[in-house]
Amino acid sequence: MMKRFVVVIILSYVSLSVPHILGFGYVIDWIPEASTITKVSTYLREGLVYGFMYKLLISILIAVLCIFLLLRGRK
């Protein structure tokens, strides 16, 4: 049960982070010498960190709702 709860939190957090990972909503100015790996790692890091608290709270609420619905469906 706890394993499912954690998995749902992680999956919902990552899915909420996808728009930020893809660069929607902000612009990063790159120097000409920036490599592709640097750009990818920066977009990934910034996408996961941007709006951490609200994405975490929404992810926890989604996980609680999913677990509640799973328990309710078993009865």
Side-chain angles (χ1 to χ4, degrees):
M1 184 62 69
M2 189 65 169
K3 194 184 304 184
R4 286 184 183 173
F5 185 73
V6 173
V7 168
V8 171
I9 288 175
I10 292 170
L11 289 176
S12 60
Y13 186 87
V14 170
S15 65
L16 288 170
S17 298
V18 168
H20 298 291
I21 290 171
L22 295 177
F24 297 121
Y26 63 93
V27 176
I28 299 175
D29 292 328
W30 297 105
I31 58 171
E33 295 84 24
S35 68
T36 304
I37 294 173
T38 303
K39 291 178 183 180
V40 168
S41 66
T42 302
Y43 275 120
L44 186 63
R45 187 176 345 108
E46 288 297 317
L48 291 173
V49 172
Y50 181 79
F52 172 75
M53 287 306 294
Y54 86 86
K55 287 191 286 189
L56 184 62
L57 289 174
I58 292 171
S59 298
I60 291 171
L61 289 174
I62 291 171
V64 168
L65 181 65
C66 287
I67 296 300
F68 175 73
L69 291 175
L70 284 173
L71 288 176
R72 187 173 175 206
R74 287 186 180 178
K75 290 183 180 181

